[in-house]
Amino acid sequence: MDRCNDPHCRQCGVSDSDRTLAEDDDSSLASQTQLNEEHPPTTPLPKLQLFIIIFIQIAEPVTSTVIYPFVNDLVRAIGVTRGDEKKTGYYVGVVESIFYAAEALTVLHWGRASDILGRRPILLGGMLGLALAMMGFGLSRYYWMLILSRCFQGAFNGNIGVTKSVMAEITDSTNAAQAFSFLPVAWSIGSTLGPFIGGVFANPAKLWPKVFGHLEFFKTYPYFLPCLVAALIPISAFILAFMGLKETLPSAVKNIRRQASEAEESESPTCRTRLLPSGSSSSLSQDYGATAVAKYDSPPATPIKSSHRSIRSTSQSRPASPAPKETPPPFRALFIPRVLIPISNFAFLAFLDQSVLVLLPLIYSTPLTFGGLGLSPSTIGTILGVWGVINGFIQVLCFPWVRRTIGQRTTYITGIVGLGVTFALFPILSIFARWDGAKIGPWVGVGIALQLGAYTFSYMSYACMFMYIAASAPSRSALGTTNGMAQLTASGTRALAPTAASSLFSFSLELHSRGGTLGSCGKYLVYVVLCSISVAAVGWSTRLPKELETNHERRASE
């Protein structure tokens, strides 16, 4: 009997072979969908956006550390110490600490503003203001002017927490580790480049008399040139961000797309065809991982299970409705363990890391008789510069593999342990110096290599912590505020660390000078205290989740 061609015929229906083929297709599609959910493909990184964010991030360590080589001479030249050398350290300490204090007071407000106004205008305004404040520091001739310009530098650097929000919004769970590994590299580059600029370009009329000696301006303001060169970093970042940085705040992206859609619909078909050819898309429609509006608001697409079903399309399109404005939650919504545990761990990390940054040049330059190494500033700069370059390569090449191999929390804890080892190796370096015959020899070289190698792991902890904080935000609208609160805490501890670490070191030397049993043990006081804080930080880090919360788990909890 011949088979009819009527698809609705109940007698014939669909053959067994067709039915089996359709079921196999459904099973294969379901298996592939499940496999994609368990092991999603890695999303390509938006390279231009990532480069701009990293470049903006470099501005903070450059502007904060560029003054270190010449700030002592600048404070003496201003005359605020009145010739009393013992007061120089006090006034210099205030200048160095006020930067992070001002940053701590403003960072939360910058993050809050970015949740309302958008990420792009906050970052652009911060870079422009930072450049002006940096040049103002070089033009300061009175101590109060130094303090004021330094405050403005810290205040405009307060928007640095917004860069972490942008980083979280242009990545997803498949590429976040790779992207966040560049943030410690930015700090390493900036903290290496800043002192180099400050040392090379300070007092140019004296260093290069043939070029700058006849210019009275550089004799009156001998430290303006390094400040100007440092200001070129945020100026360049401003220009680059103005030309290429895209908005990533979800509510702002929705409004931009709505306005673009309305403008396109208001044009005539002829003009629309000329300006935007069929099938093309503007730059506003570009998505990067987590910033895609569809990923935020649309339910997961249901796969089509059979080609026998037809899809009914409508000929009429609905007008775009205004995107609802997302209001950031109140501050009290952030005071939950999920947010406070990562932020408090960030405070430990920032304090310990800043203490290392203060003690490294201080102890390396301290005479051998006082437990230091007696290195010259140029030697210290060379050591830290070479280490900074090596550290940058290690972070980019090794961090994603280390995190994938040993896990998120273990990688973070390893960095904290590395900081404790760094502190413990300071007194061992003095022992190595004695083994070398009270001079810098191979034993000291090995000790420095071990110390800086242990310190390298702390930069991996930064990358882990940035991801922990981004994942802890109670909602998307609170991402900027959460990062701002974290940066507030870190900046506050960084403002305390220089005074605390240097004071502990000085107090240890005073105990050592008294002699006796107390003096013999007292010289290790600074290292015992800082190692104890490292142990406490390791203990507290066990409260962190072993791995980051996935997007699926986040949606289920909400």
Side-chain angles (χ1 to χ4, degrees), residues 247-496:
E247 182 58 67
T248 62
L249 182 67
S251 59
V253 172
K254 290 180 188 178
N255 290 328
I256 292 174
R257 292 179 178 177
R258 177 179 58 82
Q259 294 171 5
S261 177
E262 291 176 351
E264 184 179 352
E265 290 177 358
S266 66
E267 296 174 356
S268 63
T270 303
C271 294
R272 191 162 56 245
T273 302
R274 288 177 182 175
L275 295 176
L276 291 174
S278 177
S280 66
S281 60
S282 66
S283 62
L284 295 177
S285 64
Q286 183 177 358
D287 296 334
Y288 336 92
T291 51
V293 175
K295 292 184 180 180
Y296 279 130
D297 302 314
S298 302
T302 303
I304 301 175
K305 293 186 177 181
S306 176
S307 60
H308 297 288
R309 297 183 181 181
S310 61
I311 301 176
R312 182 177 299 176
S313 61
T314 58
S315 58
Q316 297 179 352
S317 59
R318 298 180 181 179
S321 58
K325 190 172 183 179
E326 298 184 15
T327 304
F331 286 120
R332 62 178 178 272
L334 301 180
F335 291 90
I336 56 177
R338 171 173 147 182
V339 177
L340 295 180
I341 289 176
I343 289 179
S344 55
N345 275 277
F346 192 23
F348 272 116
L349 176 61
F351 180 86
L352 294 171
D353 177 55
Q354 193 66 29
S355 298
V356 172
L357 290 175
V358 170
L359 291 179
L360 276 175
L362 178 60
I363 296 178
Y364 282 8
S365 61
T366 299
L368 291 168
T369 54
F370 291 99
L373 298 180
L375 299 178
S376 64
S378 60
T379 303
I380 295 173
T382 301
I383 292 173
L384 296 181
V386 172
W387 169 79
V389 174
I390 296 174
N391 182 38
F393 281 106
I394 290 176
Q395 300 305 319
V396 174
L397 299 177
C398 299
F399 169 72
W401 176 83
V402 171
R403 175 182 174 271
R404 186 170 59 252
T405 302
I406 65 177
Q408 178 88 7
R409 188 175 68 182
T410 305
T411 303
Y412 174 80
I413 293 175
T414 302
I416 299 298
V417 173
L419 287 169
V421 173
T422 303
F423 293 124
L425 283 172
F426 277 122
I428 296 177
L429 283 176
S430 63
I431 297 175
F432 285 170
R434 289 198 297 269
W435 288 0
D436 286 330
K439 62 180 181 180
I440 306 303
W443 279 106
V444 173
V446 171
I448 291 176
L450 291 175
Q451 186 178 51
L452 296 181
Y455 185 37
T456 299
F457 285 97
S458 68
Y459 282 75
M460 296 186 183
S461 294
Y462 271 109
C464 292
M465 186 47 58
F466 293 150
M467 289 187 286
Y468 268 125
I469 292 170
S472 71
S475 64
R476 294 182 300 272
S477 60
L479 182 59
T481 308
T482 303
N483 276 297
M485 185 174 176
Q487 197 67 36
L488 161 67
T489 306
S491 298
T493 55
R494 284 196 180 111
L496 295 174

Side-chain angles (χ1 to χ4, degrees), residues 208-224:
W208 302 299
K210 294 182 178 179
V211 180
F212 298 98
H214 63 284
L215 298 176
E216 193 64 30
F217 176 83
F218 288 104
K219 294 180 181 179
T220 306
Y221 303 99
Y223 305 106
F224 175 76

